[in-house]
Amino acid sequence: MLRVSRRRFGRYAGAAFATLAAPTVLRAKTRPRVVVIGGGAGGGTAAHFIAKDSSGAIEVVLIEADRRHATCIFSNLHLGGFRSFESITHGYQHLSANHGVTVVNARATAVDRAAKRVTLADGSDLTYDRLVVAPGIDLIWDSVPGYSKAASEIMPHAWQAGPQTQLLKARLDAIENGQQIVVVPPPNPYRCPPAPYERASMMAHRLKAKGFGASRIIILDPKPKFSKQALFAEGWEKHYPGMIEWYGPDVHGGIKGVDPTTGTVATDFDDFTGTLVNVIPAQRAAAVAVDAGLTNSTGFCPIDPNSMRSTLDDAVFVIGDACIAGDMPKSGFAANSQAKVVALAIVGDLSGTAAPPTRYASACWSLIAAGDGVKVAGEYGPNGTTIAATSETISHTDEPAAIRQANYTDSVVWYDRISAEMFGR
Ligand SMILES: Cc1cc2nc3c(=O)[nH]c(=O)nc-3n(C[C@H](O)[C@H](O)[C@H](O)COP(=O)(O)OP(=O)(O)OC[C@H]3O[C@@H](n4cnc5c(N)ncnc54)[C@H](O)[C@@H]3O)c2cc1C
């Protein structure tokens, strides 16, 4: 049994720890166990900080389906040629070696909330005192008529990083001058609001670098507007004139469906054909959260904004893209911030102490061209039953190049930090 120090609580919440009760001791005779499902931006960070800040007084078991995790974060930069695939792919060995987290490489297939038990694909199970659910999103394949998991091998989504990212990159690299790419972004809400448009920028960067200025990227958006729109529009005009065309539903009239055999996207207005078609369907919380009965009619999981505790089960916390986080975007930064709140809440819960006041943060950088990074950032706090923005800032159009370069540099520094936190380095 080890002490949970005031210094460690402070690392989560900055000034907030001034209100924390005196250091406490976890009193359980055997160690309480926290099981975390999903080792991404939310779950990896949560496992790391619960283990570290309980100084081993809590047993932490992380269940992750994949042996190595490719981050969606910076996957667009991989498409653009700014990052190698290896540089965005990480193993879990440091979480075990440095923080004593037990990493179970398996898929969680069911959660029995009454018995506080998680079942794994091989039929074995694990009981828990507290459960953190951080499985990210699943794609709703038929939200785009004609699209399916099989179709995604021809029209990649690359919205869950890994083989899909590599497929999209290979297909992009095979484009010849004059050939056309069609991108179909998802409807709200979805993971990383600016990412489809950063992706189009990175595709154009890659084509321009090869001298393929005759190629076109057509974006057929189901939404009438999108994140950082003015910034992307300015950047596309400046760096890729004539290469990227964006059409909202007022122009195309609605996406009617896709045909993978012909590479066609049918809209009310016309049919668009691409040598490469990138379809990103609608999204919901990943299956394990849905099957555990943790979602509501939105397809995502309602939470208490003070702690990220499920409103449907006191022993369960849901973080990251699977939860309903009010004004916070579905971003890796947000998931990482929510994970730190959860670690405080669970350590407090299991040690009988109050957690400090809750604060969250998110920042989302997008690279439009080499050295031209833009940013949207916010701070957030509980407000009644939801999480509300307390401040938000966004890059301006017509900014000095030095600011845009600094944004990009900041994003690289941040990637190193978040990946160290997710994977326990
Ligand atoms: C192209 C793109 C670019 C992005 N860029 C940025 C960016 O620059 N900055 C930013 O902040 N965010 C970015 N994001 C968003 C960010 O990737 C997500 O918001 C973030 O990963 C969400 O974290 P999460 O923990 O909820 O889910 P994930 O990071 O997806 O992790 C979920 C994990 O759970 C595992 N899992 C799922 N189900 C099970 C199960 N049943 N059993 C075991 N394991 C399971 C999965 O294998 C996965 O490892 C981007 C997203 C995309 C698509």
Side-chain angles (χ1 to χ4, degrees), residues 36-45 62-77 79 92 104-110 118-120 133-138 157-161 165 190-196 198-199 228 280 283 286-289 319-323 329-336 338 362-367 411 414-415 418 422-423:
V36 180
I37 300 177
T45 308
L62 173 65
I63 302 171
E64 167 53 49
D66 296 332
R67 280 199 184 280
R68 289 173 64 74
H69 179 98
T71 60
C72 283
I73 307 167
F74 275 8
S75 62
N76 285 333
L77 273 60
L79 295 180
Y92 291 94
V104 177
N105 180 223
R107 180 162 290 279
T109 51
V118 179
T119 303
L120 307 180
V133 177
I137 50 123
D138 273 355
H157 56 80
W159 222 242
Q160 288 155 322
T165 312
Y190 63 97
R191 94 175 351 170
C192 204
E198 178 186 58
R199 176 173 287 176
K228 302 179 188 166
I280 311 162
Q283 293 151 40
V288 69
I319 55 175
D321 291 351
C323 78
K330 293 190 185 301
S331 75
F333 199 125
N336 170 268
Q338 293 158 7
S362 180
C364 203
W365 292 268
S366 304
L367 189 63
S411 74
W414 169 75
Y415 185 85
I418 190 176
M422 288 164 66
F423 302 103

Side-chain angles (χ1 to χ4, degrees), residues 85-410:
F85 187 72
E86 191 51 33
S87 78
I88 59 166
T89 308
H90 309 264
Y92 291 94
Q93 67 277 12
H94 301 297
L95 277 174
S96 307
N98 296 343
H99 304 291
V101 173
T102 302
V103 179
V104 177
N105 180 223
R107 180 162 290 279
T109 51
V111 178
D112 181 340
R113 294 198 279 117
K116 292 190 179 163
R117 193 169 52 215
V118 179
T119 303
L120 307 180
D122 67 1
S124 62
D125 48 39
L126 273 162
T127 56
Y128 60 82
D129 295 287
R130 297 291 181 275
L131 177 67
V132 179
V133 177
I137 50 123
D138 273 355
L139 302 169
I140 305 174
W141 301 107
D142 60 3
S143 63
V144 179
Y147 200 57
S148 63
K149 192 167 170 31
S152 74
E153 295 303 318
I154 302 165
M155 296 177 157
H157 56 80
W159 222 242
Q160 288 155 322
Q164 276 279 312
T165 312
Q166 292 172 297
L167 177 61
L168 184 61
K169 170 85 167 134
R171 295 286 304 278
L172 174 64
D173 287 350
I175 292 283
E176 291 172 11
N177 196 18
Q179 290 182 329
Q180 182 159 288
I181 298 173
V182 180
V183 179
V184 181
N188 291 319
Y190 63 97
R191 94 175 351 170
C192 204
Y197 315 99
E198 178 186 58
R199 176 173 287 176
S201 309
M202 291 293 94
M203 287 173 162
H205 170 80
R206 190 85 182 132
L207 296 174
K208 184 180 166 188
K210 291 161 104 176
F212 291 180
S215 284
R216 295 283 170 275
I217 300 167
I218 310 287
I219 306 173
L220 300 170
D221 210 322
K223 306 181 292 296
K225 58 182 184 170
F226 62 89
S227 174
K228 302 179 188 166
Q229 186 160 354
L231 298 166
F232 282 112
E234 178 196 55
W236 293 344
E237 188 58 38
K238 178 177 173 187
H239 301 291
Y240 316 114
M243 287 185 74
I244 302 178
E245 297 170 23
W246 177 85
Y247 300 112
D250 58 329
V251 175
H252 62 66
I255 311 288
K256 288 196 330 207
V258 297
D259 182 348
T261 59
T262 57
T264 305
V265 181
T267 71
D268 258 358
F269 169 66
D270 204 351
D271 290 352
F272 296 81
T273 302
T275 307
L276 167 58
V277 181
N278 173 210
V279 178
I280 311 162
Q283 293 151 40
R284 62 165 167 74
V288 69
V290 178
D291 296 345
L294 294 167
T295 51
N296 64 16
S297 60
T298 66
F300 293 94
C301 304
I303 47 89
D304 171 357
N306 295 291
S307 59
M308 304 302 298
R309 194 189 296 270
S310 166
T311 58
L312 304 171
D313 189 330
D314 272 358
V316 178
F317 297 75
V318 187
I319 55 175
D321 291 351
C323 78
I324 301 168
D327 288 346
M328 293 187 85
K330 293 190 185 301
S331 75
F333 199 125
N336 170 268
S337 176
Q338 293 158 7
K340 293 172 184 176
V341 166
V342 155
L344 275 179
I346 288 180
V347 173
D349 223 14
L350 294 174
S351 61
T353 57
T358 301
R359 292 199 319 243
Y360 304 94
S362 180
C364 203
W365 292 268
S366 304
L367 189 63
I368 299 178
D372 191 355
V374 293
K375 174 183 177 181
V376 57
E379 293 181 339
Y380 308 84
N383 186 351
T385 58
T386 191
I387 298 176
T390 53
S391 72
E392 273 184 325
T393 58
I394 184 165
S395 297
H396 303 293
T397 52
D398 207 17
E399 272 175 333
I403 291 180
R404 297 297 182 86
Q405 177 63 54
N407 285 339
Y408 175 58
T409 305
D410 289 349

